[in-house]
């Protein structure tokens, strides 16, 4: 059955949304559905609200729908792995339904430069977009009330630039890089040709992207090259600079270029420095304290630290962070959750990580504002094939927080997120994870009771491999080979496994409700047998299978009072897999 929707909105043809676009609407449910909105952006968001309410109580007569935060973003790193335009378009379709309104494209990094500049075509790596393709994407996004913010990451993360233009670097010509982690390659901030090139590149981006913001990156500069570079050393001596001051001086030039282009600068929180231009927006990513440091110093802020989708956290652990709320309480919850126990040292290391400079305190009344939040999907372990599963199991929960702010409810979160996901599948935008897994791994059908209980290990544990232990214990990790680089095929189960096992959550709910557990127990025993009949199984999967079989016996036996060590042994990690259901079984007190 169709519904008739009556819009009262002044159309704004050809325009693109900006930070201050009025996203509010009034939705009235009567014989027809009437939407009143001051802008078409508000009207577009109202449709998402109506879709979310479909099937809910008809007691609602009128909704005043407005976002808590004007910046509700998603960053996708398209450098580590290229994400083709159709995948970005379906991401924009789904973002619009989640009322997310900013797509931030991290266009360049050590491994690739994804912008085919007209002035500097030599920089583009293999797969890259030209101006026409990016303009098409901007228009597609605007039709869905979404802005696109481009980022050129400078002066670090620049190996791809320097592989093409070594003379712009402050060190030896680097080879194109396929490895992950912080690189030494760094632009030479004393070379006028570098600034001319940056001005040209940013100018091209400003012509393509009408958005009021340009992102200049600024994260993770490794000072080694600058410390050995004659020109930089001369600058440091003459100005009494430390390495961070050299970057601040470079940033001052970048922000000046960006303002001359009529745009507002945006950067990762390493840009915080007493000399930073005050209208720069800080994107807080290192722990959560960077937000407060930026605000106290008078900088507007977009919060990203708790919304890194590449860290495989469950939806509720992202959702408990309100961009403008008490981050410490939420961080304590993240640290106390059983499912992050195997990476606790890493999380603690990260929580105390931000080496923030002493900043002058802004006068009363001139503190910065939290503009909102931005989920980040770094793509070392993400390509087009697993993009959807990395985004849509958890992003709807984050989007809800960005829209509702302090008013977001945790009760029913999992159900709402799953319903959103089902609606994406029904509309043919993004398939359900279970469907993708079935298609990608038909041979694993006999062990589905195991597969549905698994999660990938959290935080950077997959990416770091053996270097994880060395990092958290403060030892150097550079001599430990990492298990992945940009050429590693992402075609194993762990690459596609949803970050949160919804089946484990169903087990939790069934245990709490006192339901019959025999169907679960039988499935867990069946998989134990089935694994032993599979031709090829990696060791992690085999160990997880054994543990799940043991959990079946424990649950059947009824004595679930397990020691801490036993729970850890049953929850994993098993290679790159976790079995979070062990915590649910261990808490069963029937
Ligand atoms: C970052 O995650 N390097 C901003």
């Amino acid at each position: 059955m169709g519904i008739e929707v009556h819009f009262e909105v002044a159309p704004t043809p050809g325009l693109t949304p900006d930070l201050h676009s009025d996203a509010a609407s009034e939705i009235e449910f009567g014989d027809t559905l009437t939407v009143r909105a001051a802008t078409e952006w508000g009207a577009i968001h109202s449709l998402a609200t109506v879709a979310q309410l479909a099937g809910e109580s008809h007691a609602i007569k009128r909704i005043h729908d407005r976002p808590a935060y004007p910046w509700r973003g998603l960053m996708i790193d398209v450098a580590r792995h290229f994400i083709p335009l159709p995948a970005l378009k379906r991401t924009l379709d789904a973002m619009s339904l989640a009322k997310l309104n900013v797509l931030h494209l991290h266009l360049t990094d050590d491994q690739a430069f994804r912008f085919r500049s007209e002035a500097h075509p030599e920089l583009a790596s293999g797969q890259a977009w030209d101006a026409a393709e990016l303009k098409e994407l901007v228009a597609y996004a605007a039709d869905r009330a979404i802005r696109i913010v481009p980022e050129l990451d400078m002066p670090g993360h620049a190996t791809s630039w320097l592989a093409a233009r070594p003379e712009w670097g402050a060190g030896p010509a680097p080879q194109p890089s396929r490895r992950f982690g912080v690189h030494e390659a760094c632009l030479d901030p004393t070379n006028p040709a570098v600034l001319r090139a940056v001005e040209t590149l940013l100018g091209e981006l400003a012509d393509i992207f009408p958005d009021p913001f340009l992102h200049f990156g600024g994260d993770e500069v490794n000072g080694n090259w600058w410390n050995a570079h004659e020109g930089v050393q001369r600058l440091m001596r003459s100005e009494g600079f430390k390495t961070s001051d050299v970057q601040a001086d470079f940033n001052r030039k970048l922000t000046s270029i960006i303002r001359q282009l009529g745009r507002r600068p945006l950067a990762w929180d390493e840009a915080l420095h007493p000399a930073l231009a005050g209208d720069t927006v800080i994107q807080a990513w290192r722990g959560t304290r960077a937000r407060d440091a930026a605000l106290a110093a008078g900088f507007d802020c977009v919060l990203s630290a708790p919304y890194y989708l590449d860290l495989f956290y469950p939806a509720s652990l992202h959702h408990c962070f309100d961009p403008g709320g008490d981050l410490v309480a939420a961080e304590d919850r993240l640290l106390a959750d059983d499912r992050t126990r195997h990476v606790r040292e890493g999380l603690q290391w990260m929580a105390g990580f931000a080496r923030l400079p002493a900043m002058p305190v802004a006068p009363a009344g001139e503190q910065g504002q939290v503009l909102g939040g931005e989920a980040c999907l770094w793509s070392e372990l993400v390509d087009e094939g697993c993009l959807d599963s990395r985004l849509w199991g958890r992003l709807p929960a984050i989007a809800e927080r960005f829209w509702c702010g302090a008013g977001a409810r945790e009760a029913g979160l999992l159900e709402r997120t799953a319903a959103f996901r089902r609606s994406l599948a029904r509309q043919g935008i993004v398939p359900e994870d279970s469907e993708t897994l079935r298609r990608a791994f038909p041979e694993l059908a006999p062990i589905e009771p195991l597969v549905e209980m698994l999660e990938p290990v959290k935080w950077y544990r997959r990416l770091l491999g053996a270097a994880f232990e060395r990092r958290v214990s403060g030892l150097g990790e550079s001599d430990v080979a990492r298990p992945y680089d940009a050429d590693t095929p992402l075609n194993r189960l762990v690459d596609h496994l949803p970050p949160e096992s919804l089946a484990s959550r169903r087990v939790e709910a069934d245990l709490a409700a006192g339901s019959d557990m025999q169907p679960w127990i039988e499935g867990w025993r069946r998989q134990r047998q089935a694994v032993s009949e599979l031709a090829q199984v990696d060791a992690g999967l085999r160990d997880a299978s054994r543990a799940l079989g043991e959990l079946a016996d424990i649950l059947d036996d009824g004595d679930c009072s397990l020691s801490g060590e036993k729970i850890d042994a049953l929850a994993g990690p098993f290679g790159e897999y976790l079995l979070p259901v062990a915590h649910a079984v261990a808490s069963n007190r029937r």
Side-chain angles (χ1 to χ4, degrees):
M1 195 182 73
I3 53 166
E4 190 182 332
V5 183
H6 178 68
F7 280 107
E8 293 173 15
V9 54
T12 41
L15 281 185
T16 47
D18 70 28
L19 179 66
H20 301 294
S21 295
D22 185 350
S25 65
E26 187 179 281
I27 308 168
E28 202 173 296
F29 297 84
D31 293 339
T32 61
L33 192 66
T34 303
V35 172
R36 291 186 194 89
T39 66
E40 63 192 72
W41 322 122
I44 291 170
H45 292 320
S46 76
L47 286 179
T49 302
V50 170
Q52 275 161 23
L53 287 174
E56 285 206 9
S57 157
H58 290 285
I60 300 171
K61 292 282 176 258
R62 176 171 294 160
I63 295 177
H64 295 277
D65 203 22
R66 61 172 48 79
Y69 298 105
W71 193 298
R72 303 178 303 282
L74 166 67
M75 184 223 70
I76 302 186
D77 164 13
V78 292
R80 270 54 177 263
H81 284 99
F82 184 68
I83 306 289
L85 282 189
L88 286 184
K89 286 184 175 174
R90 71 170 181 267
T91 302
L92 288 164
D93 292 341
M95 284 175 69
S96 178
L97 291 169
K99 295 187 277 196
L100 291 167
N101 69 343
V102 181
L103 176 64
H104 161 182
L105 292 178
H106 179 78
L107 287 168
T108 65
D109 214 300
D110 292 302
Q111 298 76 9
F113 195 101
R114 301 295 187 193
F115 170 47
R116 204 170 295 286
S117 152
E118 279 175 20
H120 291 291
E122 72 281 9
L123 296 175
S125 337
Q127 293 168 295
W129 299 300
D130 62 21
E133 288 167 307
L134 290 170
K135 282 183 181 165
E136 180 191 326
L137 197 68
V138 167
Y140 192 90
D143 284 346
R144 286 152 186 77
I146 298 171
R147 306 159 35 205
I148 303 193
V149 175
E151 175 189 350
L152 293 184
D153 200 355
M154 303 173 267
H157 284 286
T159 308
S160 62
W161 308 46
L162 301 180
R165 297 298 297 252
E167 70 276 21
W168 292 347
Q175 290 302 307
S177 176
R178 309 304 289 156
R179 75 177 175 84
F180 297 140
V182 175
H183 289 50
E184 286 192 314
C186 211
L187 297 174
D188 174 0
T190 64
N191 181 349
V194 169
L195 281 166
R196 278 198 301 276
V198 166
E199 186 166 6
T200 304
L201 290 165
L202 288 172
E204 285 186 54
L205 290 181
D207 285 343
I208 296 167
F209 295 93
D211 198 75
F213 289 84
L214 283 172
H215 200 308
F216 64 88
D219 60 320
E220 297 185 311
V221 174
N222 173 331
N224 287 353
W225 275 23
W226 284 354
N227 293 335
H229 184 264
E230 180 50 35
V232 177
Q233 287 305 302
R234 212 176 309 118
L235 174 71
M236 290 171 84
R237 280 194 301 273
S238 71
E239 301 292 333
F241 280 173
K242 301 192 290 298
T243 316
S244 57
D245 303 323
V246 175
Q247 186 175 355
D249 189 56
F250 184 64
N251 289 349
R252 192 176 49 74
K253 294 172 183 151
L254 295 179
T255 54
S256 158
I257 292 170
I258 290 172
R259 281 146 141 205
Q260 275 164 25
L261 290 166
R263 303 301 153 88
R264 191 170 168 192
L266 167 68
W268 299 107
D269 60 52
E270 285 93 333
L272 263 186
H273 186 281
L276 183 66
D279 62 342
T280 305
V281 172
I282 293 295
Q283 185 161 12
W285 78 277
R286 292 177 305 165
T288 49
R289 278 175 292 163
R291 179 200 69 176
D292 296 336
L295 297 178
F299 291 90
D300 289 346
C301 190
V302 171
L303 181 69
S304 281
Y307 310 119
Y308 268 37
L309 292 166
D310 46 307
L311 300 186
F312 305 104
Y313 299 154
S316 60
L317 293 184
H318 291 301
H319 186 265
C320 68
F321 288 89
D322 175 7
D326 175 0
L327 302 181
V328 175
E331 198 159 63
D332 286 348
R333 191 166 149 196
L334 173 69
L335 281 160
D337 195 280
D338 284 335
R339 292 165 293 181
T340 60
R341 192 168 151 123
H342 63 296
V343 289
R344 186 132 318 145
E345 294 100 322
L347 292 172
Q348 276 159 346
W349 176 83
M350 191 81 190
F353 176 66
R355 284 180 282 274
L356 297 162
M359 297 288 290
V361 175
E366 291 180 26
Q367 269 73 34
Q369 304 281 317
V370 176
L371 302 180
E374 196 169 280
C376 292
L377 188 66
W378 296 98
S379 68
E380 286 94 339
L381 301 178
V382 182
D383 62 9
E384 185 193 8
C386 51
L387 175 73
D388 300 328
S389 83
R390 287 346 183 199
L391 291 176
W392 294 108
R394 297 149 311 141
L395 190 50
I398 297 175
E400 179 183 294
R401 176 58 87 177
F402 293 168
W403 185 268
C404 300
R409 292 173 293 135
E410 186 165 352
L413 178 71
L414 215 57
E415 291 74 16
R416 291 194 299 283
T417 304
F420 183 86
R421 186 65 197 269
R422 276 196 301 280
S423 83
L424 293 183
R426 230 181 7 254
Q427 294 173 70
I429 299 172
V430 170
E432 295 255 32
D433 285 331
S434 51
E435 179 56 35
T436 308
L437 280 178
R438 259 195 294 277
R439 252 187 286 124
F441 304 101
E443 71 283 8
L444 298 184
I447 60 163
E448 194 177 341
L450 169 64
V451 170
E452 68 175 1
M453 290 296 150
L454 296 172
E455 290 184 5
V457 288
K458 311 297 174 204
W459 197 62
Y460 294 106
R461 196 158 175 148
R462 287 191 67 202
L463 201 54
L464 290 173
F468 168 80
E469 267 83 18
R470 293 185 63 88
R471 176 181 288 195
V472 298
S473 57
L475 299 168
E477 61 192 74
S478 55
D479 51 343
V480 180
R482 289 182 173 214
Y484 291 90
D485 66 23
D487 295 319
T488 312
L490 298 177
N491 59 5
R492 296 178 308 137
L493 176 62
V494 70
D495 299 310
H496 293 264
L497 200 57
E500 177 161 22
S501 157
L502 296 183
S504 294
R505 309 303 302 277
R506 286 200 300 276
V507 170
E508 251 171 63
D510 282 354
L511 284 168
S515 307
D516 175 16
M517 300 306 288
Q518 279 308 315
W520 292 113
I521 291 169
E522 282 160 23
W524 297 354
R525 286 182 171 149
R526 211 168 47 244
Q527 65 75 32
R528 183 163 48 186
Q529 178 60 28
V531 159
S532 65
E533 289 161 11
L534 282 182
Q536 273 190 331
V537 189
D538 76 46
L541 214 51
R542 197 174 293 282
D543 292 344
S545 166
R546 209 174 292 127
L548 188 61
E550 201 175 327
L551 284 166
D553 297 340
I554 291 168
L555 198 53
D556 205 15
D557 205 37
D559 180 9
C560 297
S561 49
L562 308 177
S563 69
E565 286 101 73
K566 185 68 186 172
I567 300 170
D568 284 346
L570 293 171
F574 308 101
E576 293 179 77
Y577 298 104
L578 283 184
L579 206 48
V581 76
H583 299 290
V585 170
S587 64
N588 179 37
R589 290 282 172 267
R590 284 193 281 168

